[in-house]
Amino acid sequence: MMKMLPFSQSGPIGIRNGTTGCNDVNGQLENPLASVAEHIPSCTSGDEMWSKEQEKMSERPEAACRTSRASSITSNGSCASAGESPEKGKKGIKGILTTALKKMRKARPPTAKQVMDLVEKQKLCDAVQHLIALEKNVSGKSVEGLTITQQDIESICDVLKHRVFSVLKDSVLLARTNPELLQQAVDALKEQEKEDQNCTSENLPEQNMQFRPRKWKDLWMATVKESVDTRMKDTSHTPRTENLSAVGQNLLHMGKTMKEDLMVVAQYIKQLYPPEFDVFRTYAELYHHHFASLAKKAAESQLDDKDVYLLLSWVHSIYPKDMRKDRVLAEELEKLELGSLLPLSLSKELEKKYLESEEATIKNVLSKCLEKEIQRWKEDKEPEKLNGHFQSELLAIIVIQSIYNSQMRARDINIVLGEELSCLLSTELAAFLRSYKDAFEDFKEKGKKHRHYRPVLIANINNCSNFRDYTENNIAEKDDNKERILSTLRDIEISSEDVLLQQLFAQLKPIYKKFTENKWECSNEIMNEIIKTTSNHISELRTLKDPFYHSVIEKIHVRLVKDYIVRLLKKKVSMKSATQQQNLAQSISKNAADLEAFCTSNGSKATWLNSVLPKLAEIIRLQDTGAIKIEVATLTTAYPDIRKRHLEAFLHIKANLSRGELKSILGYLADGTASRPPSTPLFSSINVS
């Protein structure tokens, strides 16, 4: 594993003391250019060398020409001048001499001062090339012939390395603000790596290899790591977000920094390097490792509920998804397998903590909601109306919103966690509704003297529609709690509707008795009274929401028809005359028509009831036994829950039937189970004395 190297604030490498090589990185750099200038021995200046060479060439022009040609072959081009074209030679002896001298001057080994000047001008690639040439020149001469030592070269190398890696450390910033300088530093790094490879492949003597390989690529890896760590720790460039904890702010900073920096790497930095550096992978893995290590540290600490949610959101949603919203970044990340920010075991532990916290929070919210609702029932205040319907929707709104929002937050983390929480919260909702039902039953029993008793009942029936809609649309069929919730709601609705109708049915009972008491005389007036009494109650029932209103109207319709049939089965009236029977049949038909018209006009959809009274009237009107049997058959087909006892009680009205005829008609209908159960029972709820 690569040894991670410490870097100073201004750059990764310092100049060394003593004679250690350029690959030693522990020294500290102080005024590197001045330090090097002090240690490098003075040498003949370029102008002096030019004068001496000029004198020699004046004495021996032929030799000058030969020397210039040899020198031009060995000269090395620099990064800056690699594309320059050679100067065309001039004609004549003077031109030949001038060109030859220039080429000789270029062929001379660079001086330490030239290298330092290039460093100062930030021509880093040229500086590396000159340093390598100087290094080769020194290694090829005896000690007596040296004007500069290897130690001097190492001092220069330290300065150059310091400059190069200071630039590379700030690659993310320089990639857009000073790409030329960054390119110089990268090219310098590549030159050193290339020279390391050349020295290794040429099998040079040991004395020439004591400072090679310099391993700048390893230093580059360490520099990138230090740069990543520095940028991920520096939160000063990420604006503070209100109501975000320190943990949340740190997660936001790291995620934002990582994404923005990797986009710079993908778009600007990657192409500066050769493929073997695998630049994007190097940066991405270092950013990921830093982010993951701090996420793990946070997960192992005592996080509050909000921070648990934030961390899980980063682990499961924001980090793996948001990073890939940019197309270029997504393409690069697809090639890597960075993994999750947290180990699986720690992630599961955090999820469990989150689920338990959410479940407890919702349970507490629902309990407080019910307490407030019960308190409102006791207030001497009529419930508010919305669109003409009494409402007590605050309970349903708060309960449903709390559960729904909690589910959506969990789904935002990931779908699996959302499903797990949904099951837990559906259990809590089922338990809450059972408590709600018990509390409401208690109110219905003890609150009958409440001034707004009936509006409160209606408001709470209306409440059930909100819970029902939510349950049907948001709880999965496979969840057993769904049927439990719907069953509880049905119980609340049915029992409350029955309480609402108790008063009406109690008022109608003595009116219905008048039919038999008056032997069906004045039946039209009695039916009008029934309709008027019922109509007075229906006006209040219109404050129910539509599904419940139609349910109540149908119950009223069924009750009005059933109570009418009950009076016909009381055996209080017996008519021998066919005329009397026909008159009674006519009255029943008229009452049936009025009843149907009234219920239909008020919204009843119980059309299955419309034929029962006309069929009974027809049986009374008919005098032929065979015709009666046919009508009985159609009656039993339409209402299969009618039994022999019901028909026998009804035929008591037809006193002109003989025992044999009665027996024959009753034989058409045997007691027992009907051929098919009725979809809506009618006669089965009627007792015959």
Side-chain angles (χ1 to χ4, degrees):
M1 181 178 293
M2 180 186 73
K3 182 177 179 182
M4 295 305 177
L5 303 171
F7 300 110
S8 66
Q9 191 75 345
S10 60
I13 309 300
I15 190 166
R16 69 183 49 70
N17 295 320
T19 60
T20 37
C22 189
N23 53 333
D24 181 359
V25 296
N26 293 322
Q28 294 298 317
L29 178 62
E30 297 179 1
N31 299 321
L33 294 177
S35 300
V36 172
E38 291 172 4
H39 288 85
I40 297 174
S42 61
C43 57
T44 305
S45 68
D47 293 337
E48 291 172 350
M49 291 177 70
W50 165 256
S51 300
K52 290 179 181 180
E53 292 293 337
Q54 199 170 27
E55 290 173 7
K56 291 178 182 178
M57 295 305 253
S58 298
E59 296 171 1
R60 297 197 307 241
E62 294 85 356
C65 292
R66 288 194 298 271
T67 306
S68 67
R69 284 194 295 273
S71 299
S72 67
I73 295 171
T74 59
S75 65
N76 295 322
S78 69
C79 291
S81 63
E84 294 176 2
S85 60
E87 182 182 337
K88 291 185 177 180
K90 298 180 179 179
K91 295 181 179 180
I93 295 296
K94 186 177 180 181
I96 293 172
L97 288 173
T98 303
T99 303
L101 286 171
K102 285 183 178 181
K103 290 182 178 179
M104 286 179 62
R105 193 173 184 183
K106 287 183 180 180
R108 289 196 303 271
T111 65
K113 184 177 183 303
Q114 288 174 328
V115 176
M116 297 305 294
D117 286 345
L118 290 170
V119 174
E120 185 66 25
K121 294 175 182 178
Q122 299 193 91
K123 295 183 177 180
L124 303 178
C125 181
D126 288 352
V128 167
Q129 288 184 339
H130 280 56
L131 183 63
I132 291 171
L134 188 60
E135 182 182 341
K136 288 181 177 179
N137 186 56
V138 170
S139 65
K141 291 184 178 182
S142 62
V143 176
E144 292 79 8
L146 292 175
T147 59
I148 185 171
T149 66
Q150 184 66 41
Q151 182 178 348
D152 297 328
I153 290 177
E154 295 308 313
S155 296
I156 298 171
C157 182
D158 278 342
V159 174
L160 179 55
K161 180 170 60 176
H162 174 92
R163 285 295 179 89
V164 168
F165 284 97
S166 293
V167 172
L168 293 177
K169 183 181 177 184
D170 291 332
S171 293
V172 174
L173 297 176
L174 293 174
R176 286 184 285 190
T177 59
N178 196 345
E180 295 82 6
L181 177 59
L182 180 58
Q183 181 73 69
Q184 282 284 324
V186 173
D187 289 344
L189 170 62
K190 291 190 289 186
E191 287 294 325
Q192 284 286 29
E193 277 297 296
K194 180 180 177 182
E195 187 61 23
D196 278 354
Q197 294 170 7
N198 292 339
C199 291
T200 303
S201 62
E202 291 173 5
N203 296 318
L204 297 176
E206 288 187 9
Q207 64 268 24
N208 294 347
M209 290 293 293
Q210 58 181 321
F211 301 106
R212 289 286 176 183
R214 296 195 184 277
K215 299 182 179 179
W216 275 28
K217 186 176 181 181
D218 291 349
L219 300 180
W220 171 77
M221 291 283 291
T223 302
V224 173
K225 182 181 185 303
E226 183 184 4
S227 173
V228 168
D229 290 344
T230 300
R231 291 185 62 76
M232 291 291 270
K233 290 176 183 176
D234 183 12
T235 60
S236 62
H237 300 295
T238 302
R240 290 287 305 174
T241 301
E242 191 176 354
N243 299 325
L244 199 59
S245 67
V247 171
Q249 184 68 31
N250 200 28
L251 291 170
L252 175 63
H253 162 72
M254 290 192 293
K256 181 175 181 290
T257 301
M258 179 176 177
K259 181 178 180 179
E260 292 176 353
D261 289 4
L262 286 182
M263 288 178 68
V264 173
V265 173
Q267 294 174 347
Y268 301 101
I269 298 177
K270 176 186 172 184
Q271 54 265 39
L272 302 181
Y273 291 82
E276 58 267 22
F277 276 75
D278 207 357
V279 173
F280 187 84
R281 178 183 293 274
T282 301
Y283 272 92
E285 289 179 349
L286 288 170
Y287 275 107
H288 173 79
H289 177 74
H290 186 102
F291 203 157
S293 63
L294 290 185
K296 182 174 183 290
K297 184 178 179 181
E300 292 172 341
S301 64
Q302 295 296 320
L303 295 175
D304 61 25
D305 294 342
K306 188 175 181 181
D307 286 339
V308 168
Y309 174 78
L310 279 174
L311 184 52
L312 283 174
S313 295
W314 275 98
V315 170
H316 290 304
S317 180
I318 303 173
Y319 184 75
K321 295 177 184 177
D322 191 63
M323 288 288 180
R324 288 169 169 78
K325 286 184 178 179
D326 179 82
R327 182 183 59 81
V328 175
L329 203 55
E331 290 175 358
E332 293 291 343
L333 290 172
E334 284 299 319
K335 304 172 188 176
L336 310 179
E337 293 182 3
L338 296 180
S340 174
L341 286 178
L342 289 180
L344 182 60
S345 59
L346 191 55
S347 180
K348 289 294 182 184
E349 184 179 330
L350 210 61
E351 289 170 11
K352 181 182 177 183
K353 183 178 180 181
Y354 169 72
L355 291 173
E356 290 174 349
S357 171
E358 282 296 294
E359 184 180 20
T361 298
I362 294 299
K363 186 174 184 177
N364 185 48
V365 168
L366 300 191
S367 177
K368 289 182 177 179
C369 283
L370 183 56
E371 290 176 5
K372 290 182 179 179
E373 183 67 12
I374 293 172
Q375 191 60 39
R376 274 194 291 271
W377 296 341
K378 297 177 181 178
E379 295 174 0
D380 187 19
K381 184 179 179 182
E382 183 178 77
E384 295 180 358
K385 283 184 179 180
L386 180 65
N387 298 325
H389 307 301
F390 283 122
Q391 62 161 354
S392 180
E393 293 186 339
L394 186 61
L395 173 70
I397 289 172
I398 295 176
V399 169
I400 292 172
Q401 277 191 347
S402 298
I403 293 175
Y404 180 79
N405 290 341
S406 181
Q407 288 174 325
M408 290 303 101
R409 285 196 303 270
R411 286 180 184 272
D412 287 343
I413 295 175
N414 68 27
I415 293 176
V416 174
L417 195 65
E419 290 176 349
E420 288 184 36
L421 184 62
S422 292
C423 289
L424 293 173
L425 297 188
S426 67
T427 300
E428 289 302 321
L429 179 58
F432 163 77
L433 288 175
R434 287 194 296 271
S435 299
Y436 173 55
K437 174 190 171 185
D438 293 341
F440 194 44
E441 290 295 330
D442 187 63
F443 171 77
K444 286 190 292 185
E445 185 64 30
K446 298 178 180 178
K448 291 180 179 179
K449 294 183 179 180
H450 191 289
R451 189 155 66 102
H452 303 291
Y453 177 71
R454 293 173 66 80
V456 171
L457 291 185
I458 292 173
N460 280 274
I461 294 173
N462 288 337
N463 251 354
C464 292
S465 67
N466 298 311
F467 289 115
R468 181 179 295 280
D469 290 344
Y470 170 79
T471 300
E472 291 176 343
N473 295 326
N474 294 280
I475 298 181
E477 293 295 333
K478 62 182 179 181
D479 190 339
D480 293 338
N481 288 306
K482 184 169 190 174
E483 182 52 39
R484 294 191 188 102
I485 292 170
L486 294 176
S487 176
T488 301
L489 292 174
R490 280 193 297 270
D491 290 344
I492 295 172
E493 294 161 2
I494 292 171
S495 64
S496 300
E497 288 171 358
D498 289 345
V499 171
L500 282 177
L501 296 176
Q502 282 176 357
Q503 184 178 358
L504 169 63
F505 295 157
Q507 291 179 5
L508 290 176
K509 189 173 182 179
I511 301 175
Y512 269 98
K513 285 184 176 182
K514 293 180 180 180
F515 283 116
T516 49
E517 290 173 353
N518 296 332
K519 298 186 182 300
W520 297 96
E521 296 289 338
C522 305
S523 62
N524 290 338
E525 290 77 0
I526 297 171
M527 179 55 66
N528 289 338
E529 187 179 355
I530 291 171
I531 289 174
K532 182 180 178 181
T533 303
T534 305
S535 183
N536 292 336
H537 280 76
I538 286 178
S539 60
E540 179 191 46
L541 298 176
R542 291 187 183 277
T543 57
L544 285 164
K545 289 183 176 179
D546 286 349
F548 306 116
Y549 173 76
H550 290 299
S551 173
V552 169
I553 287 297
E554 184 167 334
K555 285 184 177 182
I556 292 173
H557 193 170
V558 171
R559 185 60 177 263
L560 294 179
V561 172
K562 190 181 76 170
D563 283 357
Y564 196 97
I565 294 173
V566 167
R567 303 324 298 177
L568 291 173
L569 303 185
K570 282 296 184 179
K571 299 181 180 180
K572 299 288 187 178
V573 177
S574 181
M575 299 178 178
K576 292 183 178 182
S577 165
T579 302
Q580 290 177 318
Q581 293 176 15
Q582 289 174 357
N583 290 337
L584 176 58
Q586 188 175 357
S587 296
I588 294 173
S589 296
K590 176 66 167 62
N591 295 160
D594 292 344
L595 198 56
E596 177 184 340
F598 169 73
C599 293
T600 301
S601 66
N602 282 284
S604 174
K605 297 177 181 176
T607 56
W608 61 278
L609 289 168
N610 293 342
S611 65
V612 63
L613 293 181
K615 287 183 180 300
L616 291 175
E618 186 64 9
I619 291 173
I620 294 175
R621 186 186 68 79
L622 292 172
Q623 301 300 311
D624 179 70
T625 303
I628 293 173
K629 288 180 180 180
I630 293 173
E631 196 61 39
V632 168
T634 60
L635 177 67
T636 57
T637 301
Y639 304 96
D641 62 333
I642 190 171
R643 293 294 179 265
K644 184 178 179 179
R645 62 184 182 275
H646 297 124
L647 185 57
E648 185 177 8
F650 176 68
L651 291 176
H652 180 78
I653 295 173
K654 295 181 71 69
N656 58 346
L657 291 175
S658 65
R659 285 182 175 273
E661 289 173 329
L662 182 60
K663 185 176 181 181
S664 176
I665 295 170
L666 293 175
Y668 237 67
L669 185 65
D671 280 332
T673 305
S675 59
R676 59 181 176 84
S679 56
T680 46
L682 177 61
F683 286 93
S684 57
S685 62
I686 298 175
N687 294 321
V688 179
S689 56

Coordinates of all heavy atoms in Angstrom, one line a residue, residues 220-221 224 228 258 262 265-266 270 275-289 329 331-339:
W220 N 1.9 12.1 -6.2 CA 0.7 12.6 -6.8 C -0.5 12.0 -6.1 O -1.5 12.7 -5.8 CB 0.6 12.3 -8.3 CG -0.7 12.7 -8.9 CD1 -1.1 13.9 -9.3 CD2 -1.7 11.7 -9.3 NE1 -2.4 13.8 -9.9 CE2 -2.8 12.5 -9.9 CE3 -1.8 10.3 -9.2 CZ2 -3.9 11.8 -10.3 CZ3 -3.0 9.7 -9.7 CH2 -4.0 10.5 -10.3
M221 N -0.5 10.7 -5.9 CA -1.6 10.0 -5.2 C -1.8 10.6 -3.8 O -3.0 10.9 -3.4 CB -1.3 8.6 -5.1 CG -1.4 7.8 -6.4 SD -3.0 7.5 -7.0 CE -3.6 6.3 -5.7
V224 N -3.3 14.2 -4.2 CA -4.7 14.2 -4.5 C -5.5 13.9 -3.2 O -6.6 14.5 -2.9 CB -5.0 13.1 -5.6 CG1 -6.6 13.0 -5.8 CG2 -4.4 13.6 -6.9
V228 N -8.3 16.2 -1.6 CA -9.7 15.8 -1.3 C -10.1 16.0 0.1 O -11.2 16.5 0.5 CB -9.8 14.3 -1.7 CG1 -11.2 13.8 -1.2 CG2 -9.8 14.2 -3.3
M258 N -18.3 17.0 -3.3 CA -17.9 15.8 -4.1 C -18.5 15.9 -5.5 O -17.8 15.6 -6.5 CB -18.4 14.5 -3.4 CG -18.1 13.3 -4.2 SD -18.6 11.8 -3.2 CE -18.2 10.5 -4.4
L262 N -16.0 16.4 -8.7 CA -15.9 15.3 -9.7 C -16.4 15.7 -11.1 O -15.9 15.2 -12.1 CB -16.8 14.1 -9.2 CG -16.2 13.3 -8.1 CD1 -17.1 12.1 -7.7 CD2 -14.8 12.8 -8.4
V265 N -13.3 17.3 -12.5 CA -12.4 16.2 -12.8 C -12.7 15.6 -14.2 O -11.9 15.4 -15.0 CB -12.3 15.1 -11.7 CG1 -11.4 14.0 -12.1 CG2 -11.8 15.7 -10.4
A266 N -14.0 15.3 -14.3 CA -14.5 14.6 -15.5 C -14.4 15.5 -16.8 O -14.0 15.0 -17.9 CB -15.9 14.1 -15.4
K270 N -9.3 15.2 -16.1 CA -9.0 13.8 -16.6 C -8.2 13.8 -17.9 O -7.3 13.0 -18.0 CB -10.4 13.1 -16.8 CG -10.2 11.7 -17.4 CD -11.6 11.1 -17.7 CE -11.5 9.8 -18.4 NZ -12.8 9.3 -18.8
P275 N -3.8 7.6 -19.7 CA -4.8 6.7 -19.1 C -4.3 5.9 -17.9 O -5.2 5.6 -17.0 CB -5.1 5.7 -20.3 CG -4.7 6.5 -21.5 CD -3.6 7.4 -21.1
E276 N -3.0 5.6 -17.8 CA -2.6 4.8 -16.7 C -2.7 5.5 -15.4 O -2.7 4.8 -14.3 CB -1.1 4.4 -16.9 CG -0.1 5.5 -17.1 CD 0.1 5.9 -18.5 OE1 -0.7 5.6 -19.4 OE2 1.2 6.6 -18.8
F277 N -2.9 6.8 -15.3 CA -3.2 7.5 -14.1 C -4.6 7.2 -13.5 O -4.8 7.4 -12.3 CB -2.9 9.0 -14.2 CG -1.5 9.4 -14.1 CD1 -0.6 9.1 -15.1 CD2 -1.0 10.0 -12.9 CE1 0.7 9.5 -15.0 CE2 0.3 10.3 -12.8 CZ 1.2 10.1 -13.8
D278 N -5.5 6.8 -14.4 CA -6.9 6.5 -14.0 C -7.4 7.6 -13.1 O -7.9 7.4 -12.0 CB -7.0 5.1 -13.3 CG -8.3 4.5 -13.5 OD1 -9.2 5.1 -14.1 OD2 -8.5 3.3 -13.0
V279 N -7.4 8.8 -13.6 CA -7.6 10.0 -12.8 C -9.0 10.0 -12.2 O -9.1 10.3 -11.0 CB -7.4 11.3 -13.6 CG1 -7.8 12.5 -12.9 CG2 -5.9 11.3 -14.0
F280 N -10.0 9.8 -13.0 CA -11.4 9.9 -12.4 C -11.6 8.9 -11.3 O -12.2 9.2 -10.2 CB -12.4 9.8 -13.5 CG -13.8 10.1 -13.0 CD1 -14.3 11.4 -12.9 CD2 -14.6 9.0 -12.5 CE1 -15.6 11.6 -12.4 CE2 -15.9 9.3 -12.0 CZ -16.4 10.6 -11.9
R281 N -11.2 7.7 -11.5 CA -11.3 6.7 -10.5 C -10.6 7.1 -9.2 O -11.1 6.9 -8.1 CB -10.8 5.3 -11.0 CG -10.9 4.2 -9.9 CD -10.3 2.9 -10.4 NE -11.1 2.4 -11.5 CZ -12.1 1.6 -11.3 NH1 -12.5 1.3 -10.1 NH2 -12.8 1.1 -12.4
T282 N -9.4 7.6 -9.4 CA -8.6 8.0 -8.2 C -9.3 9.0 -7.4 O -9.5 8.9 -6.1 CB -7.2 8.5 -8.6 OG1 -6.5 7.5 -9.4 CG2 -6.4 8.9 -7.4
Y283 N -9.8 10.1 -8.0 CA -10.5 11.1 -7.3 C -11.8 10.6 -6.7 O -12.1 10.9 -5.5 CB -10.8 12.3 -8.3 CG -9.7 13.3 -8.4 CD1 -8.7 13.2 -9.3 CD2 -9.7 14.4 -7.5 CE1 -7.7 14.2 -9.4 CE2 -8.7 15.4 -7.6 CZ -7.7 15.3 -8.6 OH -6.7 16.2 -8.6
A284 N -12.6 9.9 -7.5 CA -13.9 9.4 -7.1 C -13.8 8.5 -5.8 O -14.5 8.6 -4.9 CB -14.6 8.7 -8.2
E285 N -12.8 7.6 -5.9 CA -12.6 6.7 -4.7 C -12.2 7.4 -3.5 O -12.6 7.1 -2.4 CB -11.7 5.6 -5.1 CG -12.2 4.6 -6.1 CD -11.3 3.5 -6.5 OE1 -10.0 3.6 -6.1 OE2 -11.7 2.5 -7.1
L286 N -11.3 8.4 -3.6 CA -10.9 9.2 -2.5 C -12.0 10.0 -1.9 O -12.2 10.1 -0.7 CB -9.7 10.1 -2.9 CG -8.4 9.3 -3.1 CD1 -7.4 10.3 -3.7 CD2 -7.8 8.7 -1.8
Y287 N -12.8 10.6 -2.7 CA -14.0 11.4 -2.2 C -15.0 10.4 -1.6 O -15.5 10.7 -0.5 CB -14.7 12.1 -3.4 CG -14.1 13.5 -3.7 CD1 -13.3 13.6 -4.9 CD2 -14.3 14.6 -2.9 CE1 -12.8 14.9 -5.2 CE2 -13.8 15.8 -3.2 CZ -13.0 15.9 -4.4 OH -12.5 17.2 -4.7
H288 N -15.2 9.3 -2.2 CA -16.2 8.3 -1.6 C -15.7 7.8 -0.3 O -16.4 7.7 0.7 CB -16.4 7.2 -2.6 CG -17.2 6.0 -2.0 ND1 -18.5 6.1 -1.9 CD2 -16.8 4.9 -1.4 CE1 -19.0 5.0 -1.3 NE2 -17.9 4.2 -1.0
H289 N -14.4 7.5 -0.2 CA -13.8 7.0 1.1 C -14.0 8.0 2.2 O -14.3 7.7 3.3 CB -12.4 6.6 0.9 CG -11.7 6.2 2.1 ND1 -11.9 4.9 2.7 CD2 -10.8 6.8 3.0 CE1 -11.2 4.8 3.8 NE2 -10.5 5.9 4.0
L329 N -21.1 13.0 -15.6 CA -20.8 12.4 -14.3 C -21.4 11.0 -14.2 O -20.7 10.0 -13.7 CB -21.3 13.2 -13.1 CG -20.6 13.1 -11.8 CD1 -19.1 13.3 -11.9 CD2 -21.1 14.0 -10.8
E331 N -22.0 8.9 -16.6 CA -21.3 8.0 -17.5 C -20.0 7.5 -16.8 O -19.6 6.3 -16.9 CB -20.9 8.6 -18.8 CG -22.2 8.9 -19.7 CD -21.8 9.6 -21.0 OE1 -20.7 10.0 -21.1 OE2 -22.8 9.8 -21.8
E332 N -19.3 8.4 -16.1 CA -18.1 8.0 -15.4 C -18.3 7.1 -14.2 O -17.6 6.2 -14.0 CB -17.3 9.3 -15.0 CG -16.8 10.1 -16.1 CD -15.6 9.5 -16.9 OE1 -15.0 8.5 -16.3 OE2 -15.3 9.9 -18.0
L333 N -19.4 7.5 -13.5 CA -19.6 6.7 -12.3 C -20.1 5.3 -12.6 O -20.0 4.4 -11.8 CB -20.7 7.4 -11.4 CG -20.2 8.7 -10.7 CD1 -21.3 9.5 -10.1 CD2 -19.1 8.4 -9.7
E334 N -20.8 5.1 -13.8 CA -21.2 3.8 -14.2 C -20.1 2.8 -14.3 O -20.3 1.6 -14.2 CB -22.0 3.9 -15.5 CG -23.4 4.5 -15.3 CD -24.3 3.7 -14.4 OE1 -24.3 2.4 -14.5 OE2 -25.1 4.2 -13.6
K335 N -18.9 3.3 -14.6 CA -17.8 2.5 -14.8 C -17.2 2.0 -13.4 O -16.3 1.1 -13.4 CB -16.7 3.2 -15.6 CG -17.2 3.7 -16.9 CD -16.1 4.6 -17.6 CE -16.6 5.3 -18.8 NZ -15.6 6.2 -19.4
L336 N -17.6 2.7 -12.4 CA -17.0 2.4 -11.0 C -18.0 1.6 -10.2 O -19.2 1.6 -10.4 CB -16.6 3.7 -10.4 CG -15.7 4.6 -11.2 CD1 -15.4 5.9 -10.3 CD2 -14.4 4.0 -11.6
E337 N -17.5 1.0 -9.1 CA -18.4 0.4 -8.1 C -18.0 1.0 -6.8 O -17.3 0.4 -6.0 CB -18.3 -1.1 -8.1 CG -18.8 -1.7 -9.4 CD -18.7 -3.2 -9.4 OE1 -18.3 -3.8 -8.3 OE2 -19.0 -3.9 -10.4
L338 N -18.5 2.2 -6.5 CA -18.1 2.9 -5.3 C -18.8 2.3 -4.0 O -18.2 2.3 -2.9 CB -18.5 4.4 -5.3 CG -17.7 5.2 -6.4 CD1 -18.2 6.6 -6.4 CD2 -16.2 5.1 -6.2
G339 N -19.9 1.7 -4.2 CA -20.6 1.0 -3.1 C -21.4 2.1 -2.3 O -21.6 3.2 -2.6

